């Protein structure tokens, strides 16, 4: 299984994502510059966190126009796995790959700390090795992680089981509507989330709860492609 980690000017979690793939599942992984126009060789594309293009205009607003985004949309349409983390989530929202928008945190402060998430949907390639309703410890680091959508969109997300993660009840760090921490598209192959699973892949980092996101991806891909399942 081949992984790509997209790199925009201002990305700063690309190395973390690359190392997380290497350390958790040992699969081939490559950095892919934002000017690339072909992602056909990759099975999973990670859009990492950071401050793409300095977050000018809005977070992700400029990155959505990068040449690689056309190839990313084509990959998503083909059913390949796409995961946007933090700024990557913001880019997926701006590009229309996921519904909704991101606002500044209600506190107007940058929040950087551990966060407890509840797994709401285990029927995705990214969460198949979690338990429904399980609480997991995944850190956040953002100033604009306040997910917003209108009531109609929220009802659609619920009806289609597109809410993948919520912040633990009573511990919403940014004011996100309905405590949403991560959503997927209707097909389930595109995930966006504000917390950073790549920073929670070993107990030495404070939590290993993010590791199962990577093992879920590999296991689901192998089952889909008839390959041997190992972890």
């Amino acid at each position: 299984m081949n992984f790509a980690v997209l790199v925009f000017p201002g990305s700063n979690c690309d190395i973390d994502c690359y190392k997380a793939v290497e350390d958790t599942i040992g699969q081939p992984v490559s950095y892919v510059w934002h000017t690339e126009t072909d992602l056909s060789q990759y099975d999973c594309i990670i859009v990492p966190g950071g401050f793409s293009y300095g977050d000018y205009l809005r977070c992700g607003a400029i990155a959505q126009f990068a040449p690689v985004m056309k190839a990313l949309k084509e990959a998503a349409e083909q059913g390949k796995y796409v995961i946007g983390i933090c700024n990557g989530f913001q880019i997926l929202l701006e590009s229309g790959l996921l519904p909704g928008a991101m606002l500044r945190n209600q506190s107007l402060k940058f929040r950087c700390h551990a966060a407890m998430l509840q797994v709401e949907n285990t029927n995705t390639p990214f969460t198949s090795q979690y338990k429904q309703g399980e609480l997991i410890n995944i850190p956040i680091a953002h100033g604009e992680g306040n997910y917003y959508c209108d009531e109609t969109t929220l009802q659609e997300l619920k009806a289609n089981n597109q809410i993948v993660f919520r912040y633990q009840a009573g511990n919403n760090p940014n004011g996100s509507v309905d405590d949403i921490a991560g959503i997927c598209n209707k097909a389930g192959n595109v995930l966006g989330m504000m917390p950073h699973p790549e920073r929670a892949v070993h107990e030495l980092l404070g939590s290993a709860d993010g590791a199962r996101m990577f093992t879920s991806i590999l296991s689901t891909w192998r089952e889909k492609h008839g390959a041997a399942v190992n972890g």
Side-chain angles (χ1 to χ4, degrees):
M1 185 177 187
N2 292 309
F3 284 75
V5 177
L6 303 190
V7 183
F8 300 90
S11 297
N12 65 10
C13 299
D14 42 330
I15 296 175
D16 294 353
C17 290
Y18 185 103
K19 294 295 184 183
V21 172
E22 271 193 334
D23 293 346
T24 57
I25 52 178
Q27 296 298 294
V29 54
S30 303
Y31 295 114
V32 176
W33 194 230
H34 65 112
T35 54
E36 183 58 69
T37 58
D38 182 3
L39 294 172
S40 60
Q41 65 181 297
Y42 302 107
D43 305 297
C44 181
I45 299 106
I46 301 174
V47 189
F51 303 90
S52 59
Y53 300 94
D55 277 353
Y56 289 113
L57 300 180
R58 293 186 309 277
C59 302
I62 298 177
Q64 66 163 316
F65 297 111
V68 76
M69 293 304 294
K70 180 175 183 293
L72 183 68
K73 290 180 179 178
E74 291 173 352
E77 290 171 359
Q78 293 165 2
K80 295 186 176 182
Y81 304 151
V82 176
I83 175 172
I85 302 168
C86 198
N87 187 225
F89 186 12
Q90 295 161 341
I91 294 170
L92 297 183
L93 293 172
E94 289 287 341
S95 66
L97 280 168
L98 291 172
M102 207 62 76
L103 307 176
R104 292 189 68 182
N105 294 347
Q106 270 187 348
S107 64
L108 302 183
K109 295 179 179 178
F110 190 94
R111 301 288 300 268
C112 182
H113 53 74
M116 295 304 295
L117 311 183
Q118 182 161 316
V119 181
E120 301 288 351
N121 180 0
T122 58
N123 190 31
T124 81
F126 315 96
T127 54
S128 61
Q129 295 190 345
Y130 293 101
K131 296 177 182 176
Q132 187 74 28
E134 181 178 355
L135 288 175
I136 59 175
N137 181 4
I138 306 287
I140 61 168
H142 57 250
E144 299 186 32
N146 181 1
Y147 177 78
Y148 174 80
C149 64
D150 60 28
E151 184 61 27
T152 299
T153 302
L154 179 60
Q155 294 307 317
E156 289 179 356
L157 290 174
K158 291 179 178 178
N160 296 320
N161 202 22
Q162 291 176 250
I163 299 173
V164 181
F165 298 109
R166 282 190 173 93
Y167 297 106
Q168 184 183 33
N171 290 295
N172 184 335
N174 48 39
S176 289
V177 64
D178 202 32
D179 296 334
I180 287 176
I183 61 171
C184 65
N185 63 348
K186 288 182 180 178
N189 65 307
V190 179
L191 169 70
M193 62 188 295
M194 288 310 296
H196 289 264
E198 80 280 11
R199 297 184 186 178
V201 295
H202 195 285
E203 293 298 344
L204 288 174
L205 299 174
S207 171
D209 288 344
R212 277 180 286 161
M213 180 164 295
F214 298 95
T215 56
S216 291
I217 293 170
L218 178 60
S219 177
T220 304
W221 183 86
R222 283 178 166 170
E223 290 177 9
K224 182 178 178 180
H225 292 81
V229 178
N230 182 19

